Amino acid sequence: MLFGEDESSGAKWHEPPVDMLAGAPQWLPHEQLKDLLSGWRLDCVYWYEDGAWARASYPGTLDDDGLDCGMSRFVDRADVLRTIADEDHGATSAQDAESLLAHAENRRLSPELLMSLTSDPGRRQRERAAMTGALERAGLYRP
């Protein structure tokens, strides 16, 4: 799930108001999101389910919810894979990038897989607990 607020967004002040939780799955933290909405601190809510990203329908008069600026490079799968592989710096192979993304999409991105792509063995052990916690909280790994 991705949610947030951006000053460039037209969603918060759109008339008529946009129901950003319309059609949202039950597993989203609805109470937390409603609290953010009531405090005018939410401009977009996206969720990943059944192999695709989704959001509530927007009226044709809403051009930008603020997410495009920070997330546009993650819309196209080929761009995502290039970002993961960081081809400019040779961070990882295209095959490893594909594997990493597939595991994340299926919520199977284990700390072991992620650490196998880290070249510094000492760093792997030092950061294992933090990495595991982050993957679990992000919903990318279910032990």
Side-chain angles (χ1 to χ4, degrees), residues 8-18 55 57-65:
S8 70
S9 173
K12 185 185 307 183
W13 311 113
H14 192 273
E15 288 296 332
V18 177
R55 61 164 170 75
S57 294
Y58 289 167
T61 54
L62 178 58
D63 294 327
D64 182 18
D65 62 10

Side-chain angles (χ1 to χ4, degrees), residues 84-102:
I84 293 170
D86 190 11
E87 292 175 349
D88 292 340
H89 301 97
T92 190
S93 70
Q95 182 179 359
D96 285 344
E98 179 67 47
S99 176
L100 184 80
L101 184 57

Side-chain angles (χ1 to χ4, degrees), residues 52-89:
W53 284 98
R55 61 164 170 75
S57 294
Y58 289 167
T61 54
L62 178 58
D63 294 327
D64 182 18
D65 62 10
L67 190 63
D68 183 54
C69 174
M71 299 301 295
S72 58
R73 66 184 169 166
F74 298 107
V75 172
D76 179 75
R77 186 174 183 82
D79 288 343
V80 172
L81 291 170
R82 272 192 296 279
T83 299
I84 293 170
D86 190 11
E87 292 175 349
D88 292 340
H89 301 97

Side-chain angles (χ1 to χ4, degrees), residues 97-117:
E98 179 67 47
S99 176
L100 184 80
L101 184 57
H103 280 81
E105 290 171 337
N106 292 297
R107 298 182 179 145
R108 294 181 288 117
L109 183 53
S110 68
E112 291 76 23
L113 175 63
L114 195 54
M115 287 190 292
S116 75
L117 302 174

